[in-house]
Amino acid sequence: MKKLRLGFMASHGGSNMQAILEAIAQGRLDAEAALVISNNSTSGALEKARAAGVPWRHFSSVTHPDPQGLDLAIHDALVGHGVDLIVMAGYMKKLGPKTLERFHGRVLNIHPALLPKHGGRGMYGLHVHEAVLAAGEKITGVTVHLADDVYDHGRILSQREVEVVDGDTPETLQARVLTLEHQIYAETIQRIASGEIRL
Ligand code: GRF
């Protein structure tokens, strides 16, 4: 059977992408990495793509000042590399309409909280965990969902809880949640690959 071809979109460290590449290498995930796209030419994600021998591209408002041109470049690269599923892993931009239309219902995102709580515009990085602590939550977690043109919106595919403990800071919470992200993202993609989750 044809393997699911993943197209990663990442802006920063790329630790989620790396965890997925490791799951593939260890045979826990029946998929292949087709392409990594980053808007950040110095991102850890691109370094990791080069180290792993995965094709990569740098597309941003610097390489493509016109948003339509940027959307087209991203679309063409994903299509050209035979991508079946877009895996957003810390991608700080929205996808353009052409890409979203072509990959409708086949764009995943991971969010470090239990959506619909603590999501939306401005809810990224430590801001998410600051909001969780400020709200006095006892439980937070991780959400993998389908992405559309609204931030942190779209069908939820899987969630896992993380306990908030006394003395937690945004940083300690972020680290604990990230460890879980690394497990749940690969597992969720495997459930898609096996047909258990239908997109
Ligand atoms: C993760 O916390 C993810 O949930 C969020 O951005 C962060 C990306 O981290 N969307 P990394 O680049 O995968 O290390």
Side-chain angles (χ1 to χ4, degrees), residues 45-109:
L46 287 188
E47 255 173 56
K48 291 180 172 89
R50 285 190 281 267
V54 180
W56 59 273
R57 296 282 183 278
H58 168 230
F59 293 136
S60 70
S61 55
V62 174
T63 63
H64 295 77
D66 164 38
Q68 273 187 349
L70 178 59
D71 184 16
L72 187 64
I74 290 173
H75 169 278
D76 288 355
L78 292 166
V79 171
H81 281 80
V83 167
D84 301 306
L85 190 64
I86 298 179
V87 178
M88 298 213 285
Y91 188 57
M92 301 302 291
K93 304 282 173 187
K94 278 189 187 169
L95 293 174
K98 193 170 169 69
T99 304
L100 279 175
E101 191 191 277
R102 175 65 174 70
F103 290 91
H104 179 76
R106 303 195 69 82
V107 184
L108 301 186
N109 187 41

Side-chain angles (χ1 to χ4, degrees), residues 10-18 45 48 88-92 109-113 124-125 129 142-143 174 177-178 181-182:
S11 299
H12 299 301
S15 70
N16 274 292
M17 181 195 82
Q18 181 71 25
K48 291 180 172 89
M88 298 213 285
Y91 188 57
M92 301 302 291
N109 187 41
I110 189 161
H111 186 76
Y124 61 89
H129 307 289
V142 179
T143 304
Q174 181 179 50
V177 169
L178 189 61
E181 289 182 46
H182 295 162

